[in-house]
Amino acid sequence: MKDDKQFEKDSSAADSSADSVDEYLQTLGNEDARERRYYSQEQPFSVDEMARLVNEDRLTELLAQSDAFLSSLNGEIKDFDDEY
């Protein structure tokens, strides 16, 4: 009996997985269906949720690091152009 329950569980998981793949493949040729599927997965965030989720200090630090990196990269590219 234990094997039967395990088989049913595995079979049901395989069915749902196969159903999802089949549904996805059917939407590939249908632009409207694909767009609906894409947007249905979006989760809108309220202003309060975004304020709670975003760490402004960390974001500012990351932006400063990215600016420094891009500036350094730009300098390296200019040096490379001058050398050759």
Side-chain angles (χ1 to χ4, degrees), residues 15-83:
D15 288 346
S16 68
S17 197
D19 289 343
S20 296
V21 170
D22 186 50
E23 180 183 337
Y24 174 75
L25 290 174
Q26 288 178 10
T27 62
L28 283 178
N30 184 338
E31 187 66 34
D32 291 336
R34 189 174 350 152
E35 194 169 315
R36 277 194 308 275
R37 182 176 177 84
Y38 175 78
Y39 287 113
S40 71
Q41 295 174 5
E42 286 187 357
Q43 296 179 2
F45 291 98
S46 70
V47 173
D48 293 335
E49 287 174 312
M50 286 302 291
R52 184 176 56 82
L53 293 173
V54 174
N55 180 335
E56 287 186 49
D57 293 336
R58 181 68 177 135
L59 180 60
T60 302
E61 180 184 330
L62 289 171
L63 289 172
Q65 288 175 1
S66 68
D67 287 346
F69 171 75
L70 291 174
S71 178
S72 170
L73 185 61
N74 193 32
E76 291 294 326
I77 290 172
K78 284 183 180 177
D79 289 346
F80 182 79
D81 285 344
D82 291 343
E83 289 177 17

